[in-house]
Amino acid sequence: MAPAGITGIAWKAQLRLSSKFKRLLARHVLKNKAVVAVARELAGFVWAIGREVQLSNWPGLRPT
């Protein structure tokens, strides 16, 4: 199981990015443009998770 900090960041990303995508489509932004905007923001969340892993010294998932 991942540390609470990492799952918290992932859940925050899920909520924020899904609502952002819906909001952009509701404003009649082209779908490809909305996807790129969400992907750009997702890269920031991935960076934050990587930073959290680095700071927590989490060894990662072990293969079963």
Side-chain angles (χ1 to χ4, degrees), residues 8-63:
I9 293 169
W11 184 245
K12 183 178 176 183
Q14 168 69 25
L15 296 176
R16 180 179 169 113
L17 297 178
S18 64
S19 67
K20 181 174 185 134
F21 185 72
K22 290 175 190 175
R23 194 171 56 246
L24 288 171
L25 290 183
R27 288 178 36 205
H28 301 290
V29 172
L30 293 176
K31 190 174 182 180
N32 285 345
K33 197 171 189 178
V35 167
V36 170
V38 170
R40 181 180 180 273
E41 197 164 336
L42 177 60
F45 279 107
V46 170
W47 176 83
I49 288 173
R51 182 139 170 88
E52 182 71 26
V53 167
Q54 199 173 37
L55 294 175
S56 71
N57 294 323
W58 183 52
L61 298 174
R62 294 192 176 95

